Amino acid sequence: MATKQFTVNYYRAALGYQNAATWGNISIKIQGYITCYGSDHRFIMYFLHETSQVPQPTYIPANKVGAIFLPFKDMPIYLDMVRNEKPIYAYLNSSKPEWNSIKTASEPVGEEES
């Protein structure tokens, strides 16, 4: 089992309409993505068209990349998090890639945004 947690240093977001791609021999239709970059790893969140096939999440330690595949309607939630929270961490797990995620550090209850 390989796991990796890293601080997200920057991100890139893109939008499109049913951009065709292949992931693990599955054809997908991407409407947007957010890539989170650490010092040597990447975590990609693909947001798929409602008619797209949905691959299983993955983490490939040798390539230092993990990915999850989500409905396009969920993109604003993830984009809000990477834009407005700090620090952000990415978590990747090769044995349980369904746990691949982004998260914040612990914050006090009731803390308001500044």
Side-chain angles (χ1 to χ4, degrees):
M1 173 178 88
T3 62
K4 175 70 175 180
Q5 181 171 300
F6 64 90
T7 301
V8 176
N9 297 321
Y10 60 98
Y11 72 93
R12 173 176 291 154
L15 295 170
Y17 182 71
Q18 296 190 42
N19 292 325
T22 302
W23 188 278
N25 295 324
I26 296 175
S27 296
I28 59 176
K29 297 175 186 175
I30 303 165
Q31 283 194 258
Y33 68 84
I34 301 169
T35 303
C36 295
Y37 297 91
S39 60
D40 66 347
H41 274 72
R42 291 177 297 142
F43 177 45
I44 309 167
M45 295 166 278
Y46 289 102
F47 299 92
L48 305 179
H49 187 270
E50 62 187 19
T51 63
S52 180
Q53 295 184 73
V54 181
Q56 293 297 309
T58 188
Y59 171 40
I60 307 166
N63 295 347
K64 299 181 179 181
V65 65
I68 58 175
F69 304 88
L70 303 156
F72 180 68
K73 69 178 180 57
D74 291 348
M75 188 171 179
I77 299 164
Y78 287 85
L79 196 53
D80 180 67
M81 189 171 175
V82 297
R83 281 185 175 158
N84 296 309
E85 295 292 335
K86 187 176 182 180
I88 295 286
Y89 302 97
Y91 176 79
L92 305 173
N93 187 315
S94 63
S95 295
K96 294 196 178 278
E98 65 273 14
W99 290 3
N100 291 355
S101 58
I102 56 172
K103 54 188 163 185
T104 65
S106 296
E107 296 182 17
V109 173
E111 179 182 7
E112 295 182 18
E113 300 297 324
S114 51

